[in-house]
Amino acid sequence: MAVVDQAWSPSSWRGREARHQPEWPDDARVEEVKGKLRTRPPLVFAGEARQVQAALGDVAAGRAFLLQAGDCAESFHDYERLTDTGAAYAAVAIRERLKILLQMAAVLTYGAALPVLKVGRIAGQFVKPRSSPTETTPDGDIPVFRGHMIHDDAPTAAARVADPGRMLEGYNLSAATLNLVRAFTKGGFADLTQVHAWNQDFVASSPQGQRYEQLASEIESALAFMAACGIDLAATPQLHQVDVWTSHEGLLLDYEEALTRRDSLTGDWYDCSAHVLWIGDRTREPDGAHVEFFSGVHNPIGVKIGPTASPDEVVELCARLNPDRIPGRLTLITRLGADRAAELLPPLLRAVRESKHPVVWTCDPMHANVFVTAGRKTRHFDAIMAELEAFFGACRAERVWPGGVHLEYTGEDVTECLGGSEHVSEDQLDRRYETLCDPRLNARQSLDLAFRLAELMRR
Ligand code: PEP
Ligand code: CO
């Protein structure tokens, strides 16, 4: 397709090929919803996006580590149910997810003695790219599930009709989620004196839970030592609050466009649906709609790099998305597979290093390690660790900073990924398989991974 050269605007992506967009049945309704979204307040402030970009600049320079993690697909259903004890399910689910994120960050910060930048896949991760446009059900082929911001997941053709009104619901639920994340992280829950309280009961009894207890006690001793030395801990805000920033795949361009606003301080455009957005592996063509859209917004941007990306293409993406070479603007998220990462990474790392583009290199060890067994999509913990090891090894050999990890996990005791120190086996997958899309690490597997990652970072 010939690309017409034109000035960037929030809608200039419309002149390019946009893959993985829903087939809205009613364009007038889409415009009506977008009009409403434009009247809604932004979810994040441009100044926050600049703060995250500066922190990512520290990661690019090898002074910090990025922990980006969360759900594969957030679910509207979480906001429509109660727990067994009558609490709002979403509130508990968000709290438990946050606990694991804080635990993993504590393990990495303490273990590697480095600042850890915490970015959730949260408060807006409601849209999914899919490999196939349809899925087969007992009632025949129906449109594949693309996320709750587009349609319902029930396996019927009627449920899979795209409904633009869901973009408004997605906005509302993102706002509610972000509000609770801000409340927890600023209101005392993330206080380092609570480091023991983040260990959930069902985790505490496991070997990695006990290892965490020990680490938490060491952190407490360190705090007591500092207090005894006369340091006023109460007056040190870093001990009492943390920043957890939001991110999601910026896939649904109608939604992202409507949330894109001009910052009143700088006059620059920001996509105010999240602090950080990433472009998926299926939508990263340099002349496609997604790259066009994200080339013009000033948030920090990620791009997934799968096995088909050539070194030239990756350098071209750097030039398209970060022509001014601002450190922290661009994060390259490699997802190459445990068996191919060691072979595919070195030429990519070298090409970008030689182009002198400042990027954050981070490893998503999840998305290229999926396989199907007994009708369930799963990943093995060992393959996830193997890709991480290959990533650290290749980065070290190429003198490139291994800047971070990108994970899919949940705070619950699910059985979706195989292995880990509790040895989830294939016949246990059915016990609690709850994901809407990809298999996630459960709470124990996540903590287990964090300890092993801290060792990789120290090595
Ligand atoms: C994802 O992060 O959920 C995803 C679909 O990733 P990728 O674009 O790497 O396949
Ligand atoms: Co996923």
Side-chain angles (χ1 to χ4, degrees):
M1 177 173 136
V3 169
V4 187
D5 201 20
Q6 54 181 1
W8 187 91
S9 78
S11 62
S12 59
W13 61 271
R14 293 178 177 282
R16 314 277 180 131
E17 185 187 356
R19 298 200 185 156
H20 294 271
Q21 303 306 290
E23 285 178 31
W24 300 122
D26 178 353
D27 289 341
R29 175 76 179 131
V30 177
E31 287 313 310
E32 186 194 342
V33 167
K34 287 176 74 175
K36 282 192 181 151
L37 281 171
R38 283 194 195 94
T39 67
R40 300 293 195 265
L43 295 175
V44 305
F45 159 51
E48 293 180 305
R50 285 191 284 275
Q51 226 178 303
V52 190
Q53 183 159 292
L56 283 163
D58 284 340
V59 179
R63 292 188 295 265
F65 192 77
L66 167 66
L67 173 61
Q68 184 174 14
D71 230 317
C72 179
E74 290 175 276
S75 169
F76 282 14
H77 301 321
D78 285 1
Y79 302 80
E80 295 156 354
R81 54 189 275 219
L82 298 175
T83 65
D84 295 343
T85 57
Y89 182 88
V92 176
I94 293 164
R95 187 189 67 207
E96 298 313 290
R97 256 182 285 166
L98 206 52
K99 277 185 186 168
I100 309 293
L101 192 70
L102 293 171
Q103 282 188 297
M104 286 195 281
V107 169
L108 298 177
T109 311
Y110 193 77
L114 268 181
V116 174
L117 178 63
K118 295 165 272 296
V119 178
R121 286 175 63 116
I122 198 166
Q125 177 55 19
F126 289 118
V127 190
K128 300 305 299 174
R130 302 307 299 267
S131 305
S132 162
T134 56
E135 74 185 75
T136 303
T137 69
D139 301 327
D141 285 0
I142 61 169
V144 72
F145 175 59
R146 293 182 181 278
H148 278 162
M149 203 133 88
I150 292 169
H151 49 204
D152 188 50
D153 57 291
T156 66
R160 300 291 169 84
V161 176
D163 170 8
R166 285 176 167 262
M167 289 195 281
L168 278 170
E169 183 66 356
Y171 166 87
N172 290 339
L173 297 179
S174 298
T177 305
L178 177 53
N179 180 58
L180 193 59
V181 170
R182 291 189 194 274
F184 279 139
T185 52
K186 303 296 170 188
F189 184 77
D191 195 301
L192 256 191
T193 58
Q194 299 296 310
V195 65
H196 278 290
W198 306 333
N199 212 7
Q200 301 181 68
D201 290 344
F202 76 92
V203 178
S205 54
S206 68
Q208 52 280 13
Q210 284 163 9
R211 194 169 168 193
Y212 177 81
E213 281 297 320
Q214 195 183 333
L215 179 135
S217 298
E218 285 172 30
I219 292 175
E220 266 184 349
S221 304
L223 291 174
F225 172 75
M226 287 193 288
C229 292
I231 295 170
D232 185 356
L233 300 183
T236 308
Q238 294 92 322
L239 299 177
H240 309 297
Q241 301 188 343
V242 299
D243 291 319
V244 173
W245 309 104
T246 60
S247 73
H248 61 258
E249 179 172 349
L251 183 62
L252 181 57
L253 291 174
D254 284 317
Y255 179 76
E256 304 304 338
E257 180 190 332
L259 267 295
T260 294
R261 311 290 163 84
R262 211 188 260 282
D263 171 34
S264 58
L265 295 178
T266 60
D268 289 333
W269 291 100
Y270 282 84
D271 182 346
C272 295
S273 70
H275 298 107
V276 180
L277 294 123
W278 77 87
I279 300 172
D281 189 46
R282 294 164 185 79
T283 49
R284 61 167 160 72
E285 323 80 68
D287 61 359
H290 291 81
V291 169
E292 167 64 15
F293 178 76
F294 285 108
S295 71
V297 300
H298 284 68
N299 308 58
I301 300 299
V303 185
K304 292 287 199 84
I305 304 295
T308 59
S310 70
D312 285 349
E313 233 178 320
V314 174
V315 173
E316 191 183 347
L317 282 168
C318 295
R320 276 286 275 139
L321 290 166
N322 193 14
D324 298 331
R325 300 175 183 244
I326 301 164
R329 153 74 177 169
L330 185 60
T331 296
L332 298 177
I333 310 163
T334 64
R335 32 89 82 219
L336 301 167
D339 45 359
R340 301 202 61 199
E343 156 214 343
L344 293 173
L345 264 171
L348 298 173
L349 298 172
R350 229 171 282 149
V352 175
R353 190 188 64 212
E354 283 164 9
S355 75
K356 299 204 161 47
H357 272 284
V359 301
V360 169
W361 283 104
T362 175
C363 175
D364 165 359
M366 315 297 291
H367 285 91
N369 292 313
V370 179
F371 65 98
V372 176
T373 178
R376 296 285 197 196
K377 252 167 117 179
T378 190
R379 299 160 167 147
H380 202 290
F381 187 88
D382 293 346
I384 293 168
M385 278 318 302
E387 182 159 352
L388 284 173
E389 279 171 32
F391 173 76
F392 275 80
C395 286
R396 295 221 160 104
E398 294 301 327
R399 304 182 313 285
V400 165
W401 177 246
V405 289
H406 183 116
L407 305 173
E408 286 182 347
Y409 81 100
T410 168
E412 263 130 294
D413 193 13
V414 298
T415 51
E416 299 172 6
C417 289
L418 298 170
S421 50
E422 59 189 311
H423 305 292
V424 175
S425 61
E426 295 194 7
D427 54 347
Q428 289 171 331
L429 284 180
D430 277 336
R431 191 170 67 80
R432 267 193 79 178
Y433 193 97
E434 296 175 7
T435 185
L436 274 177
C437 192
D438 289 338
R440 304 157 300 176
L441 295 166
N442 66 28
R444 283 185 291 248
Q445 288 168 326
S446 304
L447 200 51
D448 201 356
L449 184 137
F451 279 114
R452 296 188 200 207
L453 188 56
E455 277 161 26
L456 274 178
M457 288 165 69
R458 270 197 302 265
R459 220 181 266 167

